[in-house]
Amino acid sequence: MAVGRRHSNPLRAVARLLLLIPWTVVLYVAFLIRRLGLRRREDLLRVAPAWAGLWARGTARLMGVRIAHEPLPPRGVLLCPNHLGYADVLALAATLPCFFVSRADAADWPLIGRLIRASEQVLVSRRRHRDLKTNTSSLIAERLRCGQSVSVFLEGTSTGGDRLLPFLPALLQPAIDTGADIVPVGLRWEAEAAGMTVADDVAYWGDHRFPTHFSRLLGLPGCRVTIRFGSPISTRGRDRKELAREVRRQVQRLVFARIDPKRTRRAGRSESGGKPPHSV
C-alpha cells in the first residue's frame, strides 16, 4: 500500500455496493433472456456491446465516475487507448459500444466476471503466446468484420497514468487483415477530491489486487475522465510495427495535450514502474 492514499469511506462503499449488486444481477438476467431470441452470431455481436454499455453507464453513475468525451469515431474500428486499469473499460463502454480484449482471469472476478463472459468480450491468456496470435486475433477480426469496434490496450499492461509504455504491435494485425481503421484514444483521469490521486486511488497497477482496489474505489469520492479520439488511421498496406509507433505518438498527444472543454460533452447525454503492473 502506498503511503498517503485517500481514506476510503466504508459506508459509502457498502451503499454503492448494495446498489451495484442488484443493478448488475438485473442486467445480467435480462441480457441472458435477450440472448435466447438471437439466432445469428452477428445479432449477438451487435446486441452484446449495447447491453454492456447500458450496464457501464449505470455503474459509472453509481461509482461517481464523471465522463466527458469528444465526438465519437465511426463503428467497426480498432480503438487503441492508453491504459490505467479496469476503470478505462468502464469509461469506454459507457461512452460507445465496443468489445474489449481482456486478460482471461478477469472473467473470474466476483460478479463482474459473469458479465465479461456473457457480453462476448475477447479473453486472452498471457501464458499461451500462440493463443494471442491465433484465437485472440481471429475473435477480434470476427467482430471487426461484423462492423463492431474492438478496444485493445497495446501497452500490454497498466500504469499510474504518468507515462505511456511502448505499444505492442501484435493486436494490430486483425485490423490490417480486415482493412479496419485504427482510432487512437486518449483517456485522461482526474481525481477531483482533495488528497486523492490517479496513480494511488484510480489506476489499477503495481501491488493492487482487484477485490481490495475495487472496494476502496467504491468508498472514494468521485473522479472524472476525459476521452479524446484521434483521426482514423488506415491500415491498408501498412506494417504493424510502423503502425504501432504512429498510434502511440497520437495517443501520447491526446493524453498529455491541453483539452478544449468546448469539444467535450458528458457521456450519456449524447449517447443512448516497479512491480509488474496489471492489465484488464
Side-chain angles (χ1 to χ4, degrees), residues 175-209:
I176 296 174
D177 293 341
T178 60
D181 288 345
I182 295 172
V183 173
V185 184
L187 294 96
R188 183 184 295 183
W189 288 88
E190 299 173 77
E192 298 182 316
M196 185 175 169
T197 66
V198 171
D200 289 331
D201 299 307
V202 179
Y204 178 63
W205 71 301
D207 62 350
H208 289 145
R209 295 295 178 265

Side-chain angles (χ1 to χ4, degrees), residues 58-79:
T59 300
R61 292 192 182 104
L62 289 176
M63 295 179 63
V65 177
R66 299 199 302 140
I67 306 170
H69 66 84
E70 293 187 348
L72 301 181
R75 292 197 179 192
V77 299
L78 191 71
L79 301 164

Side-chain angles (χ1 to χ4, degrees), residues 16-274:
R16 286 175 171 172
L17 187 62
L18 290 177
L19 293 173
L20 180 59
I21 290 176
W23 166 247
T24 300
V25 171
V26 167
L27 262 291
Y28 175 68
V29 173
F31 178 64
L32 292 182
I33 296 173
R34 178 69 177 92
R35 282 184 63 137
L36 295 176
L38 301 175
R39 303 302 178 189
R40 300 187 308 161
R41 175 72 174 169
E42 293 82 358
D43 293 333
L44 176 58
L45 295 181
R46 173 179 52 81
V47 171
W51 279 77
L54 176 61
W55 174 84
R57 286 190 291 276
T59 300
R61 292 192 182 104
L62 289 176
M63 295 179 63
V65 177
R66 299 199 302 140
I67 306 170
H69 66 84
E70 293 187 348
L72 301 181
R75 292 197 179 192
V77 299
L78 191 71
L79 301 164
C80 299
N82 57 308
H83 193 30
L84 279 74
Y86 59 84
D88 301 328
V89 176
L90 181 67
L92 281 170
T95 302
L96 77 171
C98 64
F99 291 95
F100 296 89
V101 178
S102 303
R103 48 189 270 189
D105 63 343
D108 298 326
W109 288 351
L111 195 64
I112 298 175
R114 290 186 175 272
L115 280 180
I116 292 175
R117 290 190 179 277
S119 58
E120 299 293 321
Q121 305 304 324
V122 180
L123 301 175
V124 56
S125 173
R126 292 185 172 185
R127 297 178 181 178
R128 301 177 183 176
H129 187 63
R130 176 177 292 184
D131 183 47
L132 179 62
K133 291 185 174 180
T134 56
N135 187 52
T136 302
S137 293
S138 65
L139 291 174
I140 295 173
E142 176 193 28
R143 285 151 177 75
L144 292 174
R145 290 192 182 99
C146 289
Q148 302 302 319
S149 296
V150 182
S151 180
V152 295
F153 298 105
L154 297 182
E155 292 173 275
T157 190
S158 53
T159 71
D162 59 341
R163 63 191 183 280
L164 198 63
L165 301 176
F167 277 14
L168 305 176
L171 291 179
L172 295 178
Q173 191 62 46
I176 296 174
D177 293 341
T178 60
D181 288 345
I182 295 172
V183 173
V185 184
L187 294 96
R188 183 184 295 183
W189 288 88
E190 299 173 77
E192 298 182 316
M196 185 175 169
T197 66
V198 171
D200 289 331
D201 299 307
V202 179
Y204 178 63
W205 71 301
D207 62 350
H208 289 145
R209 295 295 178 265
F210 177 73
T212 304
H213 184 276
F214 186 64
S215 61
R216 283 197 74 254
L217 190 59
L218 284 176
L220 291 173
C223 56
R224 171 188 172 92
V225 59
T226 301
I227 305 176
R228 306 181 67 195
F229 299 97
S231 300
I233 300 173
S234 174
T235 60
R236 299 186 184 278
R238 300 293 300 274
D239 173 77
R240 68 187 191 187
K241 291 183 178 180
E242 175 192 346
L243 271 173
R245 290 190 291 268
E246 179 179 346
V247 173
R248 184 183 183 278
R249 286 194 296 269
Q250 290 208 29
V251 173
Q252 180 97 18
R253 177 179 56 81
L254 292 169
V255 173
F256 297 107
R258 189 179 71 87
I259 295 174
D260 182 0
K262 294 182 180 180
R263 285 180 53 82
T264 61
R265 63 186 70 181
R266 288 288 299 277
R269 291 184 179 179
S270 61
E271 297 294 322
S272 283

